[in-house]
Amino acid sequence: MPDRLPEAFYNWLVELRRWFHRFPEPAYREKKTAAKICEVLDSLGIPFQAGIGKTGIVAKLNAQRSGPVVAFRCDMDALPLEEAHEVPYKSQHQGCMHACGHDGHMTIALGVIRWLLEKDWPQKGSGAIIFIFQPAEEGGAGAKAMLETGVFDSLPIEAVFAGHLYPELAAGDIGIAPKISNAAADTLTIRLQGRGGHGAHPHQCKDPIVAGAHLVTQLQTLISRELPPLESAVLTIGRFEAGTASNIIPEEAFLEGTLRTLSPEIREKIIMRLQQMAKGLELSHNVAATLQITPGYPVLVNDPKLVKHTQDVAGEVLGGDHVHSLQPRMGAEDFAYFCEKWGGIMVGIGCHDPSKGMQHGLHSPYFDFDETVLDIGTRLFGQVLTRYLEKSLATST
């Protein structure tokens, strides 16, 4: 296999990626993005269904011979973030930016389709590949929304693959967690009801700010003092709102945060302790505390067989020293819903320029990536998907 795609193919990928980057759209509002994807699919002669889970697209590439069915997923939405990076393809949509690499993910998916066509896979291969262009990964559970439409119910999908740009890895490298890839995430909302009054007369009040400050500090001990040292969890309070003036003790305070865990047992333990701490706050500070837990994305578990397969193929395509084993990431990823249904794998795709090192992380207003990863991702996943189908067909016959 050649080390690089033909120049015209690579330039097509770069042009596509830069178009997506210029016109980012937030969750469930990816109308222009979806229209562009449909336009490209039409130009390649690929049948598809649009409007799945609001703005999602499902395309299917069939081989002439029957065989197994696999899926490849990419996400389409951008972040509510003003881009600070001055590049010719800078976001033209104010307050919105592709700062998590989804522009690259969509481009690679379309690149894989073109790669398959140029390799004559429909004529030479067996089975089918479903391409899932998913909305609303950034907190909107677009994967769940697409599954709930029933569009996949008649498709005997054996396995689902996905890639995500990882700026801590260099372009040309990939990383795969051997089992747990991404944490589960829950949202915490805490309402503290006190008694307001004059700042000069605190004894006549029940101060929810002081109670909330004590709670924020106390919550830090849940991870550092109540979990085994080798277990992982992250508890973050990202919002603390109370008060209207410097000399008024307010009636209420609101706290909001996230809990990220890697196992159901740890999650249940921390939630139980959160409930106990809320009750303790009522006793120690004489305020009413209401705790609400909103479940988020589940734990993303990589299928061990798909891990082995992908590592083997990547070793041939990229070289064994470019394939790394990763620890779980505490960020959540709704690809987990697809993995729960079919079994799947999330592959971390290195994307920083090796000569510069990592510059900016995901969700940074300066985030960008080395566009050679578009070539690398296209060739890698083209091989991963087709070889899996070949292996699965051989095993079943």
Side-chain angles (χ1 to χ4, degrees), residues 327-347:
Q327 295 295 316
R329 296 169 74 88
M330 300 311 291
E333 169 53 84
D334 78 342
F335 180 62
Y337 291 112
F338 291 125
C339 293
E340 285 184 333
K341 184 171 179 65
W342 301 309
I345 180 172
M346 172 61 75
V347 180

Side-chain angles (χ1 to χ4, degrees), residues 146-367:
M146 292 188 80
L147 286 168
E148 288 175 346
T149 66
V151 70
F152 302 109
D153 291 352
S154 61
L155 298 171
I157 294 172
E158 284 191 10
V160 60
F161 298 80
H164 200 298
L165 298 188
Y166 283 5
E168 59 268 33
L169 296 175
D173 288 13
I174 67 160
I176 304 172
K179 188 176 181 183
I180 296 175
S181 175
N182 293 76
D186 298 301
T187 299
L188 319 174
T189 304
I190 303 165
R191 177 174 179 262
L192 302 177
Q193 178 73 46
R195 180 191 296 155
H198 201 296
H201 308 294
H203 60 289
Q204 296 175 354
C205 308
K206 297 175 183 177
D207 194 335
I209 293 181
V210 172
H214 275 269
L215 180 60
V216 171
T217 303
Q218 188 181 15
L219 290 176
Q220 306 313 305
T221 66
L222 277 177
I223 308 302
S224 65
R225 288 296 176 267
E226 300 205 27
L227 290 190
L230 297 182
E231 294 284 357
S232 296
V234 176
L235 178 59
T236 299
I237 298 298
R239 175 176 170 244
F240 189 159
E241 292 187 1
T244 57
S246 63
N247 63 343
I248 298 174
I249 292 174
E251 289 278 323
E252 295 179 322
F254 297 91
L255 293 82
E256 194 171 53
T258 56
L259 170 64
R260 301 172 187 274
T261 52
L262 299 175
S263 76
E265 296 78 18
I266 294 298
R267 178 182 180 271
E268 289 170 12
K269 177 178 179 178
I270 294 177
I271 289 176
M272 179 191 70
R273 291 291 290 123
L274 284 167
Q275 293 166 340
Q276 291 172 346
M277 285 184 173
K279 285 184 171 62
L281 201 69
E282 292 182 326
L283 293 173
S284 60
H285 289 272
N286 202 19
V287 297
T290 305
L291 170 67
Q292 181 179 349
I293 309 289
T294 304
Y297 299 164
V299 173
L300 196 168
V301 182
N302 283 338
D303 184 295
K305 291 180 294 184
L306 300 182
V307 170
K308 177 67 166 57
H309 167 75
T310 305
Q311 287 174 332
D312 289 346
V313 174
E316 295 180 33
V317 175
L318 306 175
D321 57 338
H322 293 284
V323 181
H324 308 281
S325 181
L326 299 182
Q327 295 295 316
R329 296 169 74 88
M330 300 311 291
E333 169 53 84
D334 78 342
F335 180 62
Y337 291 112
F338 291 125
C339 293
E340 285 184 333
K341 184 171 179 65
W342 301 309
I345 180 172
M346 172 61 75
V347 180
I349 312 169
C351 64
H352 76 240
D353 183 336
S355 67
K356 297 178 181 177
M358 178 176 169
Q359 300 293 303
H360 302 284
L362 299 175
H363 293 213
S364 163
Y366 294 94
F367 176 73

Side-chain angles (χ1 to χ4, degrees), residues 87-110:
V87 289
Y89 46 90
K90 183 177 179 178
S91 170
Q92 295 182 23
H93 289 173
Q94 188 173 2
C96 197
M97 177 192 175
H98 272 300
C100 202
H102 297 188
D103 50 338
H105 304 166
M106 292 182 283
T107 304
I108 288 170
L110 293 168

Side-chain angles (χ1 to χ4, degrees), residues 14-23 32-33 36:
V14 171
E15 182 181 349
L16 258 182
R17 180 263 162 156
R18 293 186 177 189
W19 190 97
F20 288 132
H21 194 88
R22 285 199 303 273
F23 304 108
K32 187 180 290 187
T33 302
K36 181 66 172 179

